[in-house]
Amino acid sequence: MSLKSWKLLESEFQRHKQTKLTDYFYEDAERIQKLSLQWESFYVDYSKNLLDEKTLDILTEMAKESGLDQAIGAYFEGSKINETENRAVLHTALRTLNPKPLMVDGKDITPKINAVKQQMFDFAKQVISGEWKGYSGKAIQHVVNIGIGGSDLGPAMVTEALEFYRNHLKVTFVSNVEGDHVEEVIKKLDPETTLFVIVSKSFTTQETLSNTNTIRKWFLTHATKSAIPQHFIAVSTNLKMVTEFGIAPENIFAMNDWVGGRFSLWSTVGLSICLAVGPSHFEDLLQGAGKMDEHFRTANFKENIPVILALITIWYNNFWEVETEAIIPYSQYLRNLPAYLQQAIMESNGKGVDRNGKPIEYQTGNIIWGASGTNAQHAFFQLMHQGTKMIPADFIGFAKPLHKGNDHQDKLMSNFFAQTQALMLGKNTETVRKELIDQGKSNEQIEALLPFKMFEGNRPSTTLFIEQLTPRNLGSLIALYEHRIFVQGIIWNIFSYDQWGVELGKQLANDILKDFDTEEIEQHDPSTRALIQHYKKFRN
Ligand code: F6P
């Protein structure tokens, strides 16, 4: 990496590698004021990280040196920053708070954005109110979203996250090409009252087309072809293929190639969300994201939440050689946020060549994993507290619960605070010894148990503490992570908006699929050939 500030950070790491998190607090009484940010209803505490103000100065300098300022401008203005696909990246245009003309390929895209959003809202209102009827005259009760990747994870995560705001419609997601998945879904469906939303940006995705075909076949065992328009609608950029597939033109919800799959829940891809919570909550989700866009676009880097958090990831990923990061939402509603962010982050920044096509010599994409707290505490936190790896973690929590009248929230919050405290402070031998003495253990027992019961601490975390889980705050939270991805891509000098890495497996799967029915499978490597032959024994 040729950036001057990168070199400075290498020596900065030498300065920090022996420092204890607790020492930072002793050294600077104002650390918490300096290393935390309050924005709207977000309070972000990054003081429990292995860095200080000087490190942040160099990190923000690095952001400037990499041209982040200009890059943010190009991103929001619709420049074709997805160069390998020659596309703009404009999910932000779908939630802009101050709509003004935005040109892509010489055309203002804003009138179309508004028209499609209106189409989506009108449709959702008809379905929710019961005005939209199925073939037998009954209102729709159940919506099935057929899609995968960005056409599934975002809508599914948000629909689940906004459970509290849901209406009467049941919403199910079918994604996997595994036949058992779709059959389990079909088992529970009533053809008369189910609406199928086929979501595929490309409309070429094997999983989505196979599931749609299977569902359509099943549907036609109950209804005639003339019933299809009342029950099948599609979201896609590929209007030709959707029409050829037999979806009525008025039932197609367009999307544009300047919205990446993993950033598309704000577009018509979010139709299932809109059906589940209604247009008004969907609008709030957009507004929340729009607010975060404004913050990201205008705040200086030292007060810019996505920038600061992106820099913290780079600090650990590239200087501490940390491999993974955990995301722990202390909300069961957000249990699928880690899975959603895995795609957003890892499909975007899992790249090994730079923007000039040259192999990269430093680490890029961080590995993301996690689960909801407190459940995660009883699962993998052992490793986070006492294992050999350092795992920086984002702890996300909400100060006010959605349901009142029980005593759970204080318990949840005490765990939420205790875990980051425990990771930082650990427990020294003196404290463990005293506890064991108090428990009446013998000297011999104490010495034997000591090493197992102590915690070295000094494990970093960041707390994102948000007032309440509302559609607006959820929108801001997701947008925060989207921009964090962008900043990292700029500094790592990689293209974050393509995903060529998923293509090879798709190609080979198509080749292998053909080979199941042929004798000649010689072109495969010996291991794959043996697997195919083994499988053939079970095919009927
Ligand atoms: O295979 C990866 C991917 O292209 C994702 O980027 C995308 O979200 C997903 O497949 C689904 O694609 P589509 O919406 O075109 O069916």
Side-chain angles (χ1 to χ4, degrees):
M1 175 60 85
S2 58
L3 297 173
K4 260 203 298 195
S5 38
W6 192 274
K7 298 271 165 305
L8 292 178
L9 286 165
E10 282 167 353
S11 21
E12 185 68 2
F13 168 68
Q14 296 305 324
R15 183 169 79 85
H16 286 273
K17 68 178 187 198
Q18 301 301 344
T19 315
K20 293 263 168 255
L21 270 173
T22 42
D23 294 343
Y24 293 115
F25 286 92
Y26 292 129
E27 281 159 19
D28 185 355
E30 284 168 19
R31 180 174 171 87
I32 186 61
Q33 286 79 16
K34 292 178 185 162
L35 272 64
S36 65
L37 283 168
Q38 175 82 54
W39 172 83
E40 298 276 316
S41 58
F42 282 54
Y43 170 60
V44 182
D45 174 5
Y46 47 99
S47 66
K48 292 191 183 93
N49 281 293
L50 292 153
L51 44 74
D52 59 17
E53 253 196 313
K54 183 173 168 228
T55 325
L56 281 168
D57 284 344
I58 312 175
L59 283 165
T60 44
E61 195 44 49
M62 176 175 67
K64 284 190 202 137
E65 208 190 331
S66 6
L68 182 62
D69 263 322
Q70 300 86 309
I72 294 175
Y75 173 29
F76 280 85
E77 281 156 18
S79 302
K80 296 201 168 172
I81 61 170
N82 176 358
E83 284 188 28
T84 64
E85 295 182 312
N86 192 31
R87 288 174 183 167
V89 175
L90 276 174
H91 45 278
T92 51
L94 299 162
R95 57 211 195 191
T96 182
L97 302 178
N98 307 304
K100 48 180 194 284
L102 188 54
M103 309 305 278
V104 174
D105 293 329
K107 251 192 171 169
D108 179 10
I109 59 168
T110 45
K112 185 90 188 289
I113 292 176
N114 295 332
V116 173
K117 187 161 99 172
Q118 196 54 51
Q119 182 199 4
M120 175 158 113
F121 283 10
D122 290 345
F123 176 73
K125 281 183 200 156
Q126 282 184 53
V127 176
I128 296 165
S129 68
E131 193 188 321
W132 183 281
K133 305 274 191 249
Y135 65 87
S136 64
K138 290 188 190 161
I140 298 298
Q141 300 295 337
H142 195 161
V143 175
V144 176
N145 187 96
I146 314 171
I148 196 163
S151 300
D152 166 67
L153 289 162
M157 184 277 287
V158 173
T159 302
E160 193 171 71
L162 298 182
E163 172 80 40
F164 181 77
Y165 303 89
R166 296 268 301 267
N167 53 43
H168 64 284
L169 292 174
K170 190 169 174 219
V171 186
T172 302
F173 291 83
V174 58
S175 50
N176 204 324
V177 79
E178 179 206 12
D180 291 338
H181 186 190
V182 69
E183 294 300 342
E184 288 297 340
V185 170
I186 286 174
K187 256 195 224 168
K188 298 169 197 116
L189 299 181
D190 175 356
E192 293 178 49
T193 55
T194 304
L195 177 76
F196 299 97
V197 184
I198 313 161
V199 188
S200 178
K201 180 178 169 182
S202 60
F203 220 75
T204 57
T205 305
Q206 185 195 50
E207 291 88 339
T208 305
L209 296 187
S210 306
N211 283 330
T212 304
N213 277 323
T214 302
I215 287 175
R216 199 168 103 131
K217 224 158 105 197
W218 163 83
F219 182 79
L220 290 176
T221 61
H222 298 273
T224 59
K225 262 193 175 170
S226 62
I228 297 245
Q230 285 146 283
H231 292 267
F232 286 79
I233 61 161
V235 173
S236 187
T237 56
N238 193 341
L239 305 187
K240 186 169 170 280
M241 293 262 301
V242 183
T243 319
E244 279 167 18
F245 195 81
I247 303 292
E250 64 277 16
N251 288 347
I252 303 174
F253 292 79
M255 65 180 291
N256 294 88
D257 70 1
W258 41 258
V259 183
R262 53 195 174 274
F263 304 98
S264 65
L265 69 90
W266 322 100
S267 72
T268 45
V269 169
L271 184 54
S272 300
I273 305 170
C274 191
L275 286 163
V277 298
S280 156
H281 289 316
F282 190 81
E283 185 61 49
D284 283 348
L285 181 82
L286 296 179
Q287 296 266 325
K291 275 257 169 206
M292 180 54 79
D293 294 345
E294 279 311 295
H295 166 73
F296 174 59
R297 214 172 50 77
T298 56
N300 77 56
F301 291 167
K302 285 194 187 151
E303 285 157 15
N304 193 315
I305 302 172
V307 172
I308 295 285
L309 299 191
L311 294 172
I312 291 175
T313 290
I314 294 181
W315 173 237
Y316 291 123
N317 188 68
N318 295 96
F319 301 94
W320 290 78
E321 297 183 358
V322 152
E323 292 275 322
T324 81
E325 258 175 77
I327 296 186
I328 322 287
Y330 271 65
S331 163
Q332 201 56 16
Y333 290 115
L334 291 186
R335 59 191 174 277
N336 275 317
L337 182 70
Y340 165 76
L341 290 176
Q342 275 178 336
Q343 187 206 15
I345 297 173
M346 291 162 75
E347 196 166 87
S348 299
N349 285 339
K351 309 287 165 63
V353 290
D354 69 13
R355 287 190 218 135
N356 303 309
K358 297 272 180 312
I360 292 176
E361 286 150 13
Y362 43 87
Q363 290 290 318
T364 60
N366 41 325
I367 298 167
I368 298 294
W369 57 285
S372 64
T374 59
N375 298 31
Q377 294 173 199
H378 302 271
F380 52 75
F381 269 41
Q382 165 64 39
L383 185 146
M384 290 175 70
H385 285 291
Q386 286 190 317
T388 52
K389 294 176 170 52
M390 186 203 275
I391 301 164
D394 285 358
F395 281 71
I396 303 169
F398 299 91
K400 294 197 223 155
L402 294 174
H403 295 88
K404 297 200 179 71
N406 61 48
D407 65 349
H408 291 243
Q409 182 68 3
D410 285 350
K411 292 173 187 161
L412 179 75
M413 288 296 106
S414 60
N415 277 281
F416 180 52
F417 305 145
Q419 289 299 327
T420 59
Q421 186 180 45
L423 286 165
M424 173 169 77
L425 300 182
K427 200 193 250 186
N428 60 22
T429 40
E430 243 167 74
T431 315
V432 178
R433 183 171 278 117
K434 188 172 173 315
E435 276 178 9
L436 292 171
I437 293 170
D438 291 348
Q439 286 165 21
K441 301 273 188 239
S442 69
N443 277 348
E444 204 184 328
Q445 286 170 321
I446 291 173
E447 290 317 311
L449 279 173
L450 259 181
F452 302 102
K453 299 202 85 162
M454 64 156 291
F455 293 64
E456 65 185 19
N458 213 35
R459 297 175 182 222
S461 67
T462 300
T463 299
L464 287 99
F465 198 19
I466 305 164
E467 198 173 307
Q468 196 168 36
L469 177 54
T470 59
R472 179 174 281 263
N473 286 337
L474 180 66
S476 301
L477 179 68
I478 300 169
L480 186 170
Y481 277 98
E482 288 179 344
H483 299 319
R484 190 174 177 178
I485 293 167
F486 170 82
V487 174
Q488 287 162 8
I490 295 300
I491 294 173
W492 286 327
N493 193 31
I494 54 177
F495 288 126
S496 299
Y497 297 99
D498 58 24
Q499 57 286 315
W500 300 110
V502 300
E503 295 305 322
L504 176 61
K506 290 185 194 172
Q507 252 171 30
L508 297 184
N510 280 332
D511 294 345
I512 291 173
L513 188 61
K514 288 187 209 126
D515 288 344
F516 290 153
D517 289 317
T518 56
E519 288 304 314
E520 293 298 310
I521 53 169
E522 294 309 312
Q523 76 276 24
H524 297 290
D525 64 274
S527 161
T528 309
R529 196 162 54 232
L531 287 166
I532 296 171
Q533 270 153 357
H534 187 70
Y535 171 60
K536 280 184 165 185
K537 291 186 229 155
F538 298 94
R539 285 183 84 222
N540 45 32

mmCIF file of all heavy atoms in Angstrom, residues 148-151 199-203 205 208 261-262 343 347 499 502-503 506, ligand 1:
data_model
loop_
_atom_site.group_PDB
_atom_site.id
_atom_site.type_symbol
_atom_site.label_atom_id
_atom_site.label_comp_id
_atom_site.label_asym_id
_atom_site.label_seq_id
_atom_site.Cartn_x
_atom_site.Cartn_y
_atom_site.Cartn_z
ATOM 1 N N ILE A 148 -33.351 -14.835 -4.164
ATOM 2 C CA ILE A 148 -32.179 -15.305 -3.415
ATOM 3 C C ILE A 148 -31.138 -14.186 -3.350
ATOM 4 O O ILE A 148 -31.199 -13.235 -4.135
ATOM 5 C CB ILE A 148 -31.610 -16.603 -4.045
ATOM 6 C CG1 ILE A 148 -30.646 -17.314 -3.070
ATOM 7 C CG2 ILE A 148 -30.914 -16.333 -5.390
ATOM 8 C CD1 ILE A 148 -30.365 -18.769 -3.405
ATOM 9 N N GLY A 149 -30.186 -14.313 -2.431
ATOM 10 C CA GLY A 149 -29.142 -13.281 -2.277
ATOM 11 C C GLY A 149 -29.808 -11.967 -1.907
ATOM 12 O O GLY A 149 -30.678 -11.909 -1.042
ATOM 13 N N GLY A 150 -29.434 -10.903 -2.616
ATOM 14 C CA GLY A 150 -30.009 -9.588 -2.322
ATOM 15 C C GLY A 150 -31.509 -9.536 -2.549
ATOM 16 O O GLY A 150 -32.189 -8.665 -2.009
ATOM 17 N N SER A 151 -32.038 -10.446 -3.330
ATOM 18 C CA SER A 151 -33.481 -10.464 -3.586
ATOM 19 C C SER A 151 -34.232 -11.256 -2.518
ATOM 20 O O SER A 151 -35.426 -11.518 -2.657
ATOM 21 C CB SER A 151 -33.751 -11.067 -4.974
ATOM 22 O OG SER A 151 -33.117 -10.278 -5.951
ATOM 23 N N VAL A 199 -38.763 -12.133 -7.252
ATOM 24 C CA VAL A 199 -37.810 -11.026 -7.212
ATOM 25 C C VAL A 199 -36.483 -11.491 -7.781
ATOM 26 O O VAL A 199 -35.805 -12.350 -7.208
ATOM 27 C CB VAL A 199 -37.612 -10.536 -5.762
ATOM 28 C CG1 VAL A 199 -36.770 -9.259 -5.753
ATOM 29 C CG2 VAL A 199 -38.947 -10.284 -5.082
ATOM 30 N N SER A 200 -36.128 -10.955 -8.917
ATOM 31 C CA SER A 200 -34.828 -11.285 -9.487
ATOM 32 C C SER A 200 -34.387 -10.149 -10.391
ATOM 33 O O SER A 200 -35.015 -9.888 -11.417
ATOM 34 C CB SER A 200 -34.904 -12.590 -10.294
ATOM 35 O OG SER A 200 -33.641 -12.854 -10.865
ATOM 36 N N LYS A 201 -33.316 -9.489 -9.964
ATOM 37 C CA LYS A 201 -32.821 -8.361 -10.755
ATOM 38 C C LYS A 201 -32.526 -8.811 -12.188
ATOM 39 O O LYS A 201 -32.920 -8.184 -13.147
ATOM 40 C CB LYS A 201 -31.566 -7.806 -10.073
ATOM 41 C CG LYS A 201 -30.965 -6.637 -10.790
ATOM 42 C CD LYS A 201 -29.763 -6.097 -10.035
ATOM 43 C CE LYS A 201 -29.023 -5.101 -10.917
ATOM 44 N NZ LYS A 201 -27.825 -4.581 -10.281
ATOM 45 N N SER A 202 -31.877 -9.955 -12.316
ATOM 46 C CA SER A 202 -31.460 -10.426 -13.637
ATOM 47 C C SER A 202 -32.535 -11.274 -14.321
ATOM 48 O O SER A 202 -32.576 -11.387 -15.528
ATOM 49 C CB SER A 202 -30.201 -11.277 -13.483
ATOM 50 O OG SER A 202 -30.494 -12.384 -12.642
ATOM 51 N N PHE A 203 -33.360 -11.901 -13.555
ATOM 52 C CA PHE A 203 -34.348 -12.895 -13.987
ATOM 53 C C PHE A 203 -33.677 -14.057 -14.734
ATOM 54 O O PHE A 203 -34.252 -14.654 -15.644
ATOM 55 C CB PHE A 203 -35.460 -12.263 -14.852
ATOM 56 C CG PHE A 203 -36.804 -12.839 -14.513
ATOM 57 C CD1 PHE A 203 -37.461 -12.472 -13.357
ATOM 58 C CD2 PHE A 203 -37.405 -13.785 -15.330
ATOM 59 C CE1 PHE A 203 -38.690 -13.021 -13.014
ATOM 60 C CE2 PHE A 203 -38.636 -14.348 -14.996
ATOM 61 C CZ PHE A 203 -39.278 -13.954 -13.841
ATOM 62 N N THR A 205 -31.605 -16.118 -12.534
ATOM 63 C CA THR A 205 -31.043 -16.871 -11.416
ATOM 64 C C THR A 205 -31.699 -18.244 -11.274
ATOM 65 O O THR A 205 -32.934 -18.340 -11.155
ATOM 66 C CB THR A 205 -31.196 -16.043 -10.112
ATOM 67 O OG1 THR A 205 -30.590 -14.782 -10.348
ATOM 68 C CG2 THR A 205 -30.543 -16.704 -8.922
ATOM 69 N N THR A 208 -34.186 -18.969 -8.308
ATOM 70 C CA THR A 208 -35.459 -18.246 -8.354
ATOM 71 C C THR A 208 -36.348 -18.769 -9.475
ATOM 72 O O THR A 208 -37.559 -18.960 -9.283
ATOM 73 C CB THR A 208 -35.176 -16.742 -8.514
ATOM 74 O OG1 THR A 208 -34.309 -16.373 -7.437
ATOM 75 C CG2 THR A 208 -36.433 -15.901 -8.479
ATOM 76 N N GLY A 261 -27.816 -5.716 -6.226
ATOM 77 C CA GLY A 261 -28.694 -6.677 -5.544
ATOM 78 C C GLY A 261 -28.648 -6.557 -4.034
ATOM 79 O O GLY A 261 -29.687 -6.493 -3.365
ATOM 80 N N ARG A 262 -27.439 -6.498 -3.477
ATOM 81 C CA ARG A 262 -27.324 -6.485 -2.014
ATOM 82 C C ARG A 262 -27.651 -5.125 -1.402
ATOM 83 O O ARG A 262 -27.617 -4.951 -0.189
ATOM 84 C CB ARG A 262 -25.941 -6.980 -1.589
ATOM 85 C CG ARG A 262 -24.772 -6.274 -2.246
ATOM 86 C CD ARG A 262 -23.481 -7.053 -2.056
ATOM 87 N NE ARG A 262 -22.365 -6.476 -2.781
ATOM 88 C CZ ARG A 262 -22.072 -6.723 -4.052
ATOM 89 N NH1 ARG A 262 -22.836 -7.543 -4.739
ATOM 90 N NH2 ARG A 262 -21.023 -6.171 -4.629
ATOM 91 N N GLN A 343 -23.638 -10.912 3.348
ATOM 92 C CA GLN A 343 -23.675 -10.714 1.897
ATOM 93 C C GLN A 343 -23.218 -9.306 1.546
ATOM 94 O O GLN A 343 -22.365 -9.108 0.679
ATOM 95 C CB GLN A 343 -25.077 -10.941 1.301
ATOM 96 C CG GLN A 343 -25.012 -10.899 -0.228
ATOM 97 C CD GLN A 343 -26.288 -10.494 -0.949
ATOM 98 O OE1 GLN A 343 -27.214 -9.972 -0.356
ATOM 99 N NE2 GLN A 343 -26.340 -10.729 -2.233
ATOM 100 N N GLU A 347 -19.664 -9.947 -0.054
ATOM 101 C CA GLU A 347 -19.789 -9.969 -1.515
ATOM 102 C C GLU A 347 -19.202 -8.665 -2.090
ATOM 103 O O GLU A 347 -18.695 -8.652 -3.206
ATOM 104 C CB GLU A 347 -21.264 -10.131 -1.932
ATOM 105 C CG GLU A 347 -21.432 -10.538 -3.388
ATOM 106 C CD GLU A 347 -22.848 -11.024 -3.736
ATOM 107 O OE1 GLU A 347 -23.697 -10.186 -4.064
ATOM 108 O OE2 GLU A 347 -23.097 -12.241 -3.674
ATOM 109 N N GLN A 499 -19.436 -8.547 -8.381
ATOM 110 C CA GLN A 499 -19.378 -9.811 -7.621
ATOM 111 C C GLN A 499 -19.038 -10.950 -8.569
ATOM 112 O O GLN A 499 -19.743 -11.949 -8.627
ATOM 113 C CB GLN A 499 -20.679 -10.082 -6.832
ATOM 114 C CG GLN A 499 -21.984 -10.139 -7.627
ATOM 115 C CD GLN A 499 -22.463 -8.795 -8.069
ATOM 116 O OE1 GLN A 499 -22.460 -7.846 -7.286
ATOM 117 N NE2 GLN A 499 -22.827 -8.663 -9.333
ATOM 118 N N VAL A 502 -18.864 -14.905 -7.752
ATOM 119 C CA VAL A 502 -19.943 -15.886 -7.608
ATOM 120 C C VAL A 502 -20.214 -16.609 -8.924
ATOM 121 O O VAL A 502 -21.012 -17.554 -8.971
ATOM 122 C CB VAL A 502 -21.257 -15.259 -7.079
ATOM 123 C CG1 VAL A 502 -21.054 -14.634 -5.712
ATOM 124 C CG2 VAL A 502 -21.787 -14.206 -8.053
ATOM 125 N N GLU A 503 -19.548 -16.180 -10.008
ATOM 126 C CA GLU A 503 -19.901 -16.700 -11.334
ATOM 127 C C GLU A 503 -19.359 -18.097 -11.623
ATOM 128 O O GLU A 503 -20.022 -18.919 -12.232
ATOM 129 C CB GLU A 503 -19.431 -15.736 -12.431
ATOM 130 C CG GLU A 503 -20.136 -14.393 -12.404
ATOM 131 C CD GLU A 503 -21.657 -14.519 -12.458
ATOM 132 O OE1 GLU A 503 -22.172 -15.398 -13.174
ATOM 133 O OE2 GLU A 503 -22.327 -13.743 -11.739
ATOM 134 N N LYS A 506 -21.420 -20.976 -10.488
ATOM 135 C CA LYS A 506 -22.671 -21.081 -11.259
ATOM 136 C C LYS A 506 -22.393 -21.782 -12.588
ATOM 137 O O LYS A 506 -23.144 -22.661 -13.002
ATOM 138 C CB LYS A 506 -23.239 -19.687 -11.566
ATOM 139 C CG LYS A 506 -23.787 -18.937 -10.382
ATOM 140 C CD LYS A 506 -24.439 -17.625 -10.872
ATOM 141 C CE LYS A 506 -24.710 -16.676 -9.736
ATOM 142 N NZ LYS A 506 -25.154 -15.348 -10.163
HETATM 143 O O1 F6P B 1 -25.058 -14.790 -7.063
HETATM 144 C C1 F6P B 1 -24.975 -13.550 -6.484
HETATM 145 C C2 F6P B 1 -26.073 -12.643 -6.899
HETATM 146 O O2 F6P B 1 -25.828 -12.130 -8.158
HETATM 147 C C3 F6P B 1 -26.281 -11.537 -5.884
HETATM 148 O O3 F6P B 1 -25.421 -10.486 -6.038
HETATM 149 C C4 F6P B 1 -27.719 -11.217 -6.067
HETATM 150 O O4 F6P B 1 -28.215 -10.517 -4.972
HETATM 151 C C5 F6P B 1 -28.297 -12.612 -6.200
HETATM 152 O O5 F6P B 1 -27.324 -13.327 -6.940
HETATM 153 C C6 F6P B 1 -29.643 -12.714 -6.856
HETATM 154 O O6 F6P B 1 -29.646 -12.197 -8.156
HETATM 155 P P1 F6P B 1 -30.980 -11.847 -8.915
HETATM 156 O O7 F6P B 1 -31.691 -10.790 -8.146
HETATM 157 O O8 F6P B 1 -30.534 -11.359 -10.266
HETATM 158 O O9 F6P B 1 -31.799 -13.094 -9.033
#
